[in-house]
Amino acid sequence: MNSRAMRRSAAAVAAFSATAIVLAGCTSGGDTGGGDAGGDAGSDTLTLATFNDFGYTDELLAEFTAETGIEVVHNKASTSDDARANFFQKLGNTGLADVEGVEIDWFAEMMQYSDLLTPVPDDVKGRWIEFKEAAATDAEGNLVAYGTDIGPQGICYREDLYEAAGLPTDRESVEALFPTWDAFFDVADDYTEATGQPFVDSANAVLQGIMNQLEYTYEEPDGAIIATENPDVRESYDTVVERAVPISAYAGQWSDDWFASLAGGEFATMLCPGWMLGIIEGNAPETEGWNIANAFPGGGGNWGGSYLVVPANGANVEAAQQLADWLTAPEQQLKAFENAGTFPSQSEALESPILLDSTNEYFNDAPTGQILTDRADAITVTPFKGPQYFQYHNALQDAVTRVFDGLEDQETSWETWVTQVSGF
């Protein structure tokens, strides 16, 4: 199967988009969610709010409309941060979409308000991989979210830029370059010295990759806060500041310049969860040379993975459950993977030949289904992310950014972070 990732310009990604798939259905629950993209969606519709690229193309939503007679209006926030701000502002009040997308880094925060969500029907339970479903089950035993994807990571790279720097370009040889983080940074140093250009897109993407290999970061399951005393967090920060900042094009992702650089060749390497494949292709559709290697420093790592939830006070709860169920069924998870690289979390989908035999024409016909399956099998740690994970992690990313921007030195920025998070 070849990827059909939705192609978008950087300007489109930075804004909200609304797509109406026309036919009759249910009455909308007011504002469509997703910040300023809302307004009343009108009658005879369901509203769906996501962010980045879930793989829910116009064509996929049209299939739901054809099957059910229900129109879907899809509002897409440009980033998870935007979606989070909108979600918590409106949860329990009014203005959320009938079905809302929730990202894993703020999922535990949301689970504190599980009573404001509609439980998943019993006949839908049991189809997700164990950790995906367990994380969405509250203290009363209610499953309150429909798992979409998980985020096993490989290494995306530009063959043309590797070749120009004297690095190997075939997938197997590139795989051998990155057994450990030290090896990754050594290659990066050599590349930057040889070319005068950054090796990797973002220092904070590297921070994310390293932190996602830690079982405990800022909180422990009993509620204990360990953020500022955790030596693993300090080591991760120091590693990123000392080794990732000098070889990175940007402090963070999702800026207009970052999107433009996907096509411009400013950097040669990205840490790539499956969902990133669609973002790269969608923003650099004419760029040749991108590939993906079956490798990740230190073994395996999961970055991302989202859920769909149905607010309990929505106007169309039953129909919204039908949409969330349909979008996360194995058949649709496989289609979303083909559309955007979002790797399935449904047990049945993970065994499908559609997944295992899938290739991606844009990424030099890489066997992305098998690569990401192997990368999922390499994951040995499922990080614990407590209710305050997003706030602590966002603040640590800000600390890295201050060093990248030259506003504070390594130690001062760490101390600024310690002071800041001590007030959480």
Side-chain angles (χ1 to χ4, degrees):
M1 300 283 176
N2 290 329
S3 170
R4 296 183 286 111
M6 192 186 332
R7 296 185 174 184
R8 307 176 303 209
S9 67
V13 173
F16 293 103
S17 64
T19 302
I21 310 300
V22 180
L23 278 178
C26 312
T27 301
S28 170
D31 189 323
T32 59
D36 295 335
D40 196 330
S43 60
D44 300 326
T45 62
L46 279 178
T47 52
L48 168 68
T50 65
F51 47 88
N52 292 344
D53 192 348
F54 277 49
Y56 301 157
T57 61
D58 295 1
E59 294 80 8
L60 182 64
L61 295 178
E63 292 181 30
F64 177 78
T65 302
E67 289 181 21
T68 65
I70 299 174
E71 175 189 352
V72 179
V73 173
H74 185 195
N75 296 301
K76 192 185 305 179
S78 59
T79 70
S80 169
D81 290 7
D82 293 336
R84 174 184 175 273
N86 179 74
F87 183 84
F88 286 112
Q89 179 185 8
K90 297 175 181 177
L91 181 64
N93 298 306
T94 60
L96 286 179
D98 293 306
V99 178
E100 288 274 339
V102 177
E103 206 268 333
I104 189 64
D105 281 358
W106 42 281
F107 187 77
E109 183 181 4
M110 183 213 69
M111 286 296 291
Q112 297 177 104
Y113 310 102
S114 62
D115 59 317
L116 299 178
L117 305 172
T118 303
V120 175
D122 288 341
D123 62 354
V124 181
K125 295 180 181 179
R127 65 186 189 184
W128 288 276
I129 57 178
E130 184 177 355
F131 80 84
K132 192 72 175 178
E133 191 162 309
T137 302
D138 68 12
E140 285 69 46
N142 296 312
L143 180 64
V144 297
Y146 301 74
T148 59
D149 61 323
I150 57 175
Q153 297 190 87
I155 297 289
C156 289
Y157 66 99
R158 285 278 297 268
E159 289 183 355
D160 52 338
L161 301 182
Y162 271 40
E163 183 176 14
L167 292 173
T169 61
D170 64 280
R171 281 187 287 271
E172 291 74 17
S173 297
V174 172
E175 177 183 344
L177 292 177
F178 305 122
T180 65
W181 284 108
D182 282 340
F184 178 86
F185 292 124
D186 288 345
V187 172
D189 290 341
D190 291 343
Y191 177 92
T192 299
E193 183 178 354
T195 66
Q197 296 296 315
F199 180 70
V200 72
D201 69 311
S202 161
N204 273 315
V206 176
L207 178 69
Q208 189 81 40
I210 293 174
M211 295 289 280
N212 281 338
Q213 293 177 326
L214 303 178
E215 185 173 6
Y216 302 108
T217 52
Y218 311 117
E219 303 164 83
E220 292 184 332
D222 63 1
I225 303 299
I226 59 173
T228 58
E229 289 91 28
N230 187 346
D232 290 335
V233 172
R234 180 61 201 253
E235 182 180 359
S236 299
Y237 166 82
D238 287 340
T239 297
V240 170
V241 168
E242 293 168 8
R243 303 217 62 183
V245 165
I247 50 90
S248 296
Y250 300 96
Q253 298 173 321
W254 318 120
S255 68
D256 288 347
D257 287 342
W258 178 86
F259 278 113
S261 292
L262 292 175
E266 186 175 351
F267 50 81
T269 306
M270 295 178 66
L271 307 183
C272 264
W275 50 263
M276 189 66 79
L277 304 182
I279 290 174
I280 294 172
E281 182 180 352
N283 289 279
E286 306 304 323
T287 300
E288 298 181 358
W290 279 107
N291 206 331
I292 180 170
N294 190 350
F296 196 75
N302 184 80
W303 179 9
S306 300
Y307 291 84
L308 299 178
V309 298
V310 176
N313 65 346
N316 310 301
V317 167
E318 186 174 345
Q321 288 179 300
Q322 184 180 5
L323 175 60
D325 181 353
W326 188 87
L327 285 172
T328 57
E331 298 82 0
Q332 279 63 251
Q333 288 206 345
L334 290 169
K335 292 173 183 176
F337 174 74
E338 293 180 277
N339 293 338
T342 51
F343 193 77
S345 62
Q346 289 270 353
S347 300
E348 182 180 329
L350 293 174
E351 299 173 356
S352 170
I354 295 175
L355 174 70
L356 297 176
D357 296 339
S358 179
T359 62
N360 190 307
E361 182 179 6
Y362 180 85
F363 286 86
N364 196 29
D365 294 319
T368 48
Q370 189 61 59
I371 287 174
L372 291 171
T373 297
D374 290 345
R375 292 294 87 219
D377 290 342
I379 297 170
T380 58
V381 174
T382 302
F384 174 76
K385 297 185 178 183
Q388 291 182 286
Y389 179 91
F390 180 90
Q391 292 94 320
Y392 282 108
H393 191 67
N394 197 51
L396 191 61
Q397 289 179 316
D398 289 343
V400 171
T401 299
R402 288 192 296 271
V403 177
F404 186 94
D405 291 341
L407 300 177
E408 293 181 349
D409 62 29
Q410 180 174 341
E411 188 61 33
T412 302
S413 194
W414 172 264
E415 292 302 327
T416 299
W417 179 74
V418 169
T419 300
Q420 180 181 1
V421 301
S422 295
F424 287 173

